[in-house]
Amino acid sequence: MRIFTPAPRALWPFGLLLAVVASLYGQSLGFGYIWDDNSLFVDNTMLREGVWSWAAVARPILPDTSYFRPLVLTTWMAEMQLFKLTPLYSHLINVILHGINTCLVYVIACAIYGSRDKTRIAALVAALIFSAHPCLAEGVAWISGRFDLLATTMLLAGFATAMAPATVFRCMAVGIFALGALFSKETGILFAPLLVLLAIARSPGRPLRVTLADLWPYLLVSAATTIIYFILRRQALGVVSYSEFGLMQLASGFANYEFWMRALSFYTFMGFMPFSSISPQHDILLELASARQHIAALAVALAILAVVVYFAIKRQTWAILWIGFYAGIFPVLGILSIRLADTIGAERFMYLPLVMLALASVALFLEIRDKYPLQRIISLMGAAVAGGWLVLSLLVTYTVTSMWESGVKLWSWQYQSRPENQMVLMNYLVHLSSSREPELEKKFEIEIEKIQSRNRGRLPMEVQGIYAIYLLTKQNPEAIPYLQGLVDNSVGIWDQPREQLGLMKSLKYSSILANYAQALMIFNGDLKLARETLNRSKALTGRGGEFQFVHSMIALEYLAGNKADALNLYRENLEMLHAYDIHKMHASIRTLIQFTCLQLKGENCKPQALEFIEELKKESLVPSR
């Protein structure tokens, strides 16, 4: 077997594919950090302080999770060290990765379809289908989508390498790519099964034992890297796999057939008709309700699955590749213990499966064209269908990508179509409340009034927290009763261990306490209760989250007359403060001192606050970033 290696004169398809990627996603270079970008790495001071170390990246991407992805964390750490906190470079890397993946799809397609000139066009169409698919917009335009991007890059590079006869050098390269995929996302475990499917699809007429005989060095290397991965994972996380995974959990997943059948239907139809349903949030309750109302859609999805399995057994190339699509979505169907919160599916999970579906779709067309005599008519019909689909996909992808420009734009778009979704509403309100534009602040206040009118003048706890922080930033003393109400309604929670509460609740309640402490200082001048509240916030905060309270503690020590303690606390956390945003921290400390001092002494303490900030700057031995 020989891998397809194009001559220099045949490099134009790569230029075309890269031009398409640039035209679709070049706009993202001007986008900012949004959604989970903050919690994953922007606010993660462990990535922004010091130099690279295995301990810094060989840990869960978030506390109390089992996601082990050191390669992606390494890329983010490198960006922060080289370029500071600049979203341009993060987006640029995502676009480059998508361009590389698109070109690798073309290379693999040429190897599967054959290297004849007439099939290179088919390979180009497969790569274009993949590149322009609207479901990929989330993974490319959103920086946190890099897990899927980089894992797919490693997998495709490994597949392309393994399509040539095994040598020591190629086996080493495959091992590196396979381990890189596993270090990017857990879907890297699919390397061996997808490689076998690609090899069978490339030569469907060969006996399976012959195909496996050619692949055994690569499969052996893949097995060895998988063992290494699980050893390192166990060493870093203390667990090998998801704690709930087992035969009982698997049986429970299959028993919950309604959920995974609807998920199967969702991913199947989004693969072909994604034009009207693109969204970062797909509601499980609404989707399951529609499952009962649209039983025909479920029947079609199951019928397609049955047909694909039948023709895969018959060794049809397109069906074997299509099985790869099902293998790619299997981990997220809901059978395994991967929770998708209140969503039935996420489009970023389709990044790798769509590679296989694009290859399968074009292979199916080639099979039909070669089997029937009216090849010219079939070719024209196929060109018309593919052309129309591509034009519509390009338009939708370009439009959807622009929605990821900012958090306000993303969640405003979602709120218009899904106002009843709780997660969408919360994100929409958060971004409106944090904006400094008068028009958006007015929208926020209008939404708060609407929610109050629907709830007889009261606000739900989640909305109350957002509104309280909004009032706090506006220096409005009405923030105190709202925050106090949140604290009083959570009696008993504060004394629970952080591990028992879990990640999301710990972060939520820690933030509430930190904001309540600030309000107590600037509106009441109550240093004693503020100190108690900050200590509670500290107990709930994991490593990397100290930025939520440490600036308040520094200001509190200064105001309590413990200037030396305040300076020591500043020195102890200097690296973290630099890594987060030293200028933002200085501004927060100055504001807290000024307003709290006004409550305590009834006078303007701005000169004293500025003098203290100047002392803090002199203590900043680490150069500002």
Side-chain angles (χ1 to χ4, degrees):
M1 293 187 297
R2 292 182 58 196
I3 188 170
F4 167 65
T5 52
R9 62 183 177 81
L11 293 177
W12 66 268
F14 297 100
L16 175 61
L17 292 171
L18 293 176
V20 170
V21 170
S23 64
L24 286 175
Y25 294 107
Q27 59 182 311
S28 69
L29 301 185
F31 296 177
Y33 298 117
I34 61 173
W35 201 4
D36 285 349
D37 291 344
N38 291 318
S39 58
L40 288 177
F41 63 96
V42 174
D43 291 342
N44 193 330
T45 56
M46 289 187 70
L47 294 180
R48 297 169 59 181
E49 63 188 27
V51 295
W52 184 93
S53 68
W54 176 251
V57 298
R59 57 183 177 78
I61 59 173
L62 285 172
D64 305 321
T65 65
S66 55
Y67 297 130
F68 176 64
R69 301 168 183 180
L71 184 56
V72 177
L73 293 181
T74 295
T75 66
W76 282 334
M77 177 174 277
E79 286 176 42
M80 293 172 186
Q81 297 296 317
L82 294 173
F83 310 119
K84 302 182 181 179
L85 202 60
T86 308
L88 166 66
Y89 299 103
S90 298
H91 284 292
L92 178 61
I93 291 172
N94 274 25
V95 174
I96 291 173
L97 287 173
H98 186 53
I100 292 172
N101 292 339
T102 301
C103 291
L104 286 171
V105 170
Y106 172 74
V107 170
I108 293 170
C110 285
I112 291 175
Y113 303 152
S115 58
R116 303 181 303 274
D117 290 338
K118 64 179 181 179
T119 56
R120 287 178 183 168
I121 299 300
L124 180 61
V125 172
L128 285 171
I129 290 173
F130 168 76
S131 175
H133 201 291
C135 283
L136 303 188
E138 179 177 339
V140 183
W142 183 31
I143 296 170
S144 295
R146 187 175 303 175
F147 300 111
D148 294 276
L149 286 170
L150 191 54
T152 302
T153 302
M154 296 290 107
L155 287 171
L156 294 180
F159 297 153
T161 303
M163 285 189 176
T167 63
V168 173
F169 175 78
R170 290 192 185 114
C171 285
M172 290 175 60
V174 165
I176 292 172
F177 291 135
L179 191 60
L182 287 165
F183 277 1
S184 299
K185 193 174 181 180
E186 290 73 7
T187 49
I189 201 70
L190 296 172
F191 179 85
L194 290 181
L195 177 61
V196 171
L197 289 172
L198 288 169
I200 296 173
R202 188 182 187 188
S203 305
R206 299 179 73 199
L208 181 59
R209 57 182 176 78
V210 176
T211 300
L212 294 178
D214 289 339
L215 288 179
W216 78 262
Y218 296 128
L219 297 178
L220 184 62
V221 168
S222 175
T225 56
T226 301
I227 293 172
I228 293 172
Y229 164 75
F230 280 116
I231 292 173
L232 293 174
R233 179 186 175 92
R234 178 61 180 267
Q235 178 268 331
L237 306 184
V239 294
V240 173
S241 187
Y242 300 99
S243 58
E244 296 182 7
F245 181 72
L247 292 178
M248 291 298 294
Q249 194 276 336
L250 192 61
S252 175
F254 275 105
N256 191 18
Y257 64 91
E258 188 176 29
F259 181 92
W260 65 261
M261 283 177 59
R262 185 63 191 104
L264 173 66
S265 174
F266 164 79
Y267 286 114
T268 300
F269 284 94
M270 286 297 287
F272 292 98
M273 300 297 292
F275 309 115
S276 62
S277 303
I278 295 296
S279 169
Q281 181 72 12
H282 295 277
D283 306 324
I284 182 171
L285 295 179
L286 294 178
E287 292 288 348
L288 289 177
S290 68
R292 303 182 185 99
Q293 297 168 7
H294 300 93
I295 193 67
L298 293 175
V300 170
L302 291 174
I304 292 174
L305 174 60
V307 170
V308 169
V309 171
Y310 173 79
F311 281 101
I313 295 173
K314 295 288 186 180
R315 293 293 191 92
Q316 297 290 315
T317 295
W318 69 271
I320 295 168
L321 293 169
W322 205 311
I323 290 293
F325 167 74
Y326 291 127
I329 64 173
F330 179 78
V332 294
L333 285 181
I335 299 174
L336 298 180
S337 57
I338 299 178
R339 293 186 178 88
L340 305 181
D342 56 348
T343 178
I344 197 166
E347 290 155 17
R348 62 185 177 276
F349 296 156
M350 297 184 70
Y351 195 89
L352 173 62
L354 282 175
V355 172
M356 305 302 292
L357 191 60
L359 294 172
S361 300
V362 176
L364 176 60
F365 164 75
L366 294 176
E367 190 111 8
I368 295 173
R369 186 199 64 181
D370 294 341
K371 186 173 183 179
Y372 295 97
L374 301 175
Q375 293 188 3
R376 181 176 177 80
I377 296 177
I378 293 173
S379 296
L380 290 174
M381 291 177 61
V385 171
W389 191 93
L390 280 171
V391 169
L392 191 55
S393 291
L394 290 167
L395 177 62
V396 172
T397 300
Y398 187 85
T399 304
V400 169
T401 298
S402 66
M403 298 300 178
W404 290 85
E405 180 179 1
S406 66
V408 171
K409 195 169 184 179
L410 175 66
W411 296 112
S412 296
W413 165 51
Q414 285 300 292
Y415 186 65
Q416 291 175 8
S417 58
R418 294 172 171 81
E420 74 290 339
N421 182 279
Q422 189 72 4
M423 192 200 82
V424 170
L425 174 62
M426 292 300 103
N427 278 285
Y428 179 59
L429 292 176
V430 165
H431 285 90
L432 287 181
S433 66
S434 59
S435 173
R436 296 295 178 264
E437 298 180 23
E439 181 181 349
L440 295 178
E441 290 183 355
K442 183 64 176 177
K443 283 185 177 181
F444 173 74
E445 293 171 357
I446 291 173
E447 291 298 332
I448 291 294
E449 291 175 0
K450 289 180 181 178
I451 296 171
Q452 285 178 325
S453 65
R454 291 197 299 265
N455 292 274
R456 299 179 181 180
R458 301 178 65 86
L459 291 175
M461 183 175 177
E462 294 80 3
V463 179
Q464 188 174 329
I466 297 171
Y467 188 50
I469 295 173
Y470 171 76
L471 292 174
L472 184 60
T473 58
K474 289 293 181 182
Q475 299 168 7
N476 187 330
E478 288 186 24
I480 282 279
Y482 281 104
L483 287 166
Q484 185 173 351
L486 290 172
V487 173
D488 292 342
N489 289 330
S490 304
V491 174
I493 289 179
W494 318 115
D495 298 325
Q496 296 182 33
R498 183 171 60 86
E499 296 74 15
Q500 185 176 338
L501 276 178
L503 170 66
M504 299 311 296
K505 283 188 177 181
S506 296
L507 293 176
K508 174 183 174 181
Y509 292 122
S510 176
S511 177
I512 291 173
L513 289 169
N515 283 288
Y516 183 44
Q518 291 184 27
L520 289 169
M521 291 170 65
I522 65 177
F523 297 130
N524 293 354
D526 192 338
L527 300 185
K528 180 180 179 181
L529 185 54
R531 184 186 297 275
E532 294 175 2
T533 305
L534 286 173
N535 287 332
R536 286 179 170 181
S537 176
K538 181 179 180 180
L540 290 174
T541 304
R543 176 69 174 91
E546 298 93 335
F547 66 90
Q548 291 193 98
F549 62 83
V550 71
H551 61 291
S552 300
M553 291 291 290
I554 293 170
L556 189 148
E557 294 293 351
Y558 174 81
L559 290 163
N562 305 321
K563 183 177 178 181
D565 292 339
L567 290 172
N568 285 332
L569 187 60
Y570 181 80
R571 295 186 193 105
E572 291 170 3
N573 292 276
L574 188 55
E575 275 196 66
M576 184 275 296
L577 292 170
H578 266 290
Y580 180 65
D581 189 331
I582 194 69
H583 302 295
K584 184 177 180 179
M585 293 291 100
H586 287 162
S588 297
I589 293 170
R590 183 180 68 246
T591 301
L592 284 169
I593 291 175
Q594 286 182 222
F595 283 92
T596 306
C597 186
L598 184 63
Q599 293 293 329
L600 293 172
K601 300 181 179 181
E603 62 182 51
N604 187 348
C605 299
K606 184 176 181 179
Q608 295 95 314
L610 292 175
E611 181 182 349
F612 181 62
I613 295 301
E614 288 302 317
E615 288 190 56
L616 294 182
K617 290 180 179 179
K618 292 178 182 178
E619 295 288 340
S620 302
L621 302 178
V622 180
S624 297
R625 300 189 179 200

